[in-house]
Amino acid sequence: MVDQFVTLIKKNFFLIGVTAFPGLHKLALLFVVNQVDSVDGTADFISDIFILYFLGYYTVFNWSNFILADMIKLPEQSHVSFFGKIAGLSLIYNVPVLIVLFILFRLEWLTDFFGFALFILTWSYHQLWRHFFIAKKLYNLLFFTDVVVLILSLISIIVGHEYGVNRYFIMSIPVLIVPILFKYLPPILARKKMSIRVFKKAMNYTLINMSTGGIQLIFAPLSHQLLTAELTRIIGFTTNFASVVLLIPRALSFQFIPQLSDRLRRNKKQCADLFLLFSQKINQSILAMLVVGILTGFFIWITWFELPFEMIILSFMVYINLLLGQLAAPSSNVLVVLSQSNYLLKVNVVSFIIVVLQIFLMLSAHLDPLVKMYIIIGFNVLVGVLRFLWLRSYVSRLI
């Protein structure tokens, strides 16, 4: 397993680096904010930025699927124009998001409206631009642009804090100026109308991704409303650390998905065998990440932050929740390969609705806020395991 992973990294260093960058970026930003700001300020930042990541499933990651899957099928000379159309449609999708942001700001779930609104627009465009480079397989160039974005983003946080500049205004500069420096800024206006089916497909992608990855991002803003700033900070660090560690199952997906598609065309029995191998490797990686998380947590949470026991338990629960969410990765990917994404959507949405209803139930319950968070996260773990068993059973019947 270790030798296989090392070989995979050597053969795909820039691709793996580009894949790992979002998680490293999040973790590095949080470390710097934690150094320059107060605990309360760090908690505010975590709550804000996790709202950004959650909304990103609606403003950018749904549209990036068109860039990765559809743009590359077109002639080379049409790529920039196609990107422009997708970017323009993504901007249209940002209009209702601005309304949501204003409501969250009025409810005091968001600390800044105008700066954050600018940041989500520029950040969303930058993420689309990253996927444009990924689709073109320009991994080497994108790797270095990611490094530049990371360095400039860290500098912007420090400068903004030192001179009292709006944090989100100044953080918007690197994610917008880097596309200009490394590649001309493609047009962002669609020159012709697109079918309503495009919007429906984008919403389908949104619901699939938001109902799985998105649900993991609501714990930080929720804890910011229920718990102390210290607890919110711990949830933010744990989630961002996990997003880096989850590079391993992502790398395994890069390796197995093309093979699943190829085996399916040739022989379903071979596809079933490969699915079982994929599942085995994912389970092994989860076990390895669990050990890494425990050792890292013991070193950081106890020796550095000197956390009390209840904070360590909360951090561990968040980490376990994120790890176990990867159990369903093989089944989810097989369903996509088998063109069964509608079934996957139904399962994900049902799971999402159950979790959201349970959250509202806990918010109205007369319990200690920390106990509420324990129950909310623990219930999400249970739903995640049941979702995994549900999908695995369905896939087993198909192949």
Side-chain angles (χ1 to χ4, degrees), residues 100-113:
V100 172
L101 293 180
F102 183 74
I103 294 173
L104 292 175
F105 175 69
R106 297 292 295 179
L107 293 174
E108 298 184 349
W109 277 62
L110 200 66
T111 60
D112 176 28
F113 173 68

Side-chain angles (χ1 to χ4, degrees), residues 88-151:
L89 293 172
S90 177
L91 285 179
I92 294 173
Y93 254 45
N94 273 272
V95 174
V97 168
L98 295 178
I99 298 174
V100 172
L101 293 180
F102 183 74
I103 294 173
L104 292 175
F105 175 69
R106 297 292 295 179
L107 293 174
E108 298 184 349
W109 277 62
L110 200 66
T111 60
D112 176 28
F113 173 68
F114 292 105
F116 193 85
L118 175 64
F119 185 55
I120 196 170
L121 288 171
T122 55
W123 177 84
S124 296
Y125 177 78
H126 177 260
Q127 293 300 315
L128 285 175
W129 177 82
R130 284 190 82 250
H131 285 86
F132 177 77
F133 267 38
I134 291 172
K136 302 282 281 184
K137 297 184 178 181
L138 299 174
Y139 306 129
N140 296 29
L141 181 57
L142 183 54
F143 179 85
F144 292 109
T145 66
D146 282 343
V147 172
V148 171
V149 168
L150 176 59
I151 294 173

Side-chain angles (χ1 to χ4, degrees), residues 14-284:
F14 289 107
L15 173 59
I16 301 266
V18 167
T19 305
F21 173 78
L24 291 171
H25 189 195
K26 295 172 186 176
L27 194 59
L29 288 182
L30 189 49
F31 266 109
V32 172
V33 170
N34 186 64
Q35 292 300 310
V36 303
D37 214 336
S38 64
V39 175
D40 288 339
T42 302
D44 288 340
F45 176 78
I46 290 172
S47 180
D48 287 352
I49 211 70
F50 274 60
I51 289 173
L52 169 77
Y53 298 149
F54 180 82
L55 293 175
Y57 286 109
Y58 179 78
T59 64
V60 55
F61 295 123
N62 49 0
W63 295 106
S64 66
N65 284 281
F66 291 98
I67 297 172
L68 295 174
D70 298 341
M71 185 190 77
I72 208 65
K73 300 175 184 177
L74 301 174
E76 178 80 17
Q77 62 270 22
S78 302
H79 288 179
V80 171
S81 174
F82 183 85
F83 175 86
K85 295 170 185 175
I86 295 300
L89 293 172
S90 177
L91 285 179
I92 294 173
Y93 254 45
N94 273 272
V95 174
V97 168
L98 295 178
I99 298 174
V100 172
L101 293 180
F102 183 74
I103 294 173
L104 292 175
F105 175 69
R106 297 292 295 179
L107 293 174
E108 298 184 349
W109 277 62
L110 200 66
T111 60
D112 176 28
F113 173 68
F114 292 105
F116 193 85
L118 175 64
F119 185 55
I120 196 170
L121 288 171
T122 55
W123 177 84
S124 296
Y125 177 78
H126 177 260
Q127 293 300 315
L128 285 175
W129 177 82
R130 284 190 82 250
H131 285 86
F132 177 77
F133 267 38
I134 291 172
K136 302 282 281 184
K137 297 184 178 181
L138 299 174
Y139 306 129
N140 296 29
L141 181 57
L142 183 54
F143 179 85
F144 292 109
T145 66
D146 282 343
V147 172
V148 171
V149 168
L150 176 59
I151 294 173
L152 292 180
S153 296
L154 297 178
I155 292 174
S156 70
I157 291 175
I158 297 172
V159 171
H161 179 78
E162 187 71 23
Y163 294 99
V165 181
N166 184 292
R167 174 172 290 165
Y168 297 114
F169 275 131
I170 198 168
M171 284 177 62
S172 299
I173 297 174
V175 295
L176 186 60
I177 201 171
V178 169
I180 299 175
L181 293 176
F182 282 84
K183 180 83 175 180
Y184 63 90
L185 196 67
I188 56 176
L189 294 176
R191 297 184 179 180
K192 65 178 182 179
K193 294 182 180 180
M194 285 198 174
S195 169
I196 190 66
R197 287 179 295 178
V198 174
F199 291 94
K200 290 181 178 179
K201 191 174 180 181
M203 184 56 69
N204 186 289
Y205 286 138
T206 298
L207 293 175
I208 288 177
N209 294 324
M210 188 179 284
S211 59
T212 51
I215 197 67
Q216 318 296 339
L217 299 172
I218 66 176
F219 297 132
L222 191 61
S223 68
H224 194 44
Q225 300 299 314
L226 293 176
L227 308 175
T228 64
E230 288 83 359
L231 286 169
T232 300
R233 182 176 66 172
I234 291 306
I235 290 178
F237 269 107
T238 302
T239 304
N240 284 350
F241 171 73
S243 69
V244 177
V245 177
L246 292 178
L247 166 65
I248 298 176
R250 292 192 196 107
L252 288 171
S253 294
F254 282 138
Q255 180 185 13
F256 277 97
I257 292 175
Q259 296 180 45
L260 282 169
S261 181
D262 180 62
R263 297 282 180 90
L264 178 65
R265 286 195 299 268
R266 290 188 295 168
N267 188 293
K268 270 198 172 185
K269 176 64 169 59
Q270 292 182 4
C271 183
D273 292 340
L274 190 63
F275 167 67
L276 293 176
L277 179 61
F278 188 9
S279 300
Q280 180 185 7
K281 295 299 182 182
I282 286 290
N283 294 342
Q284 291 173 348

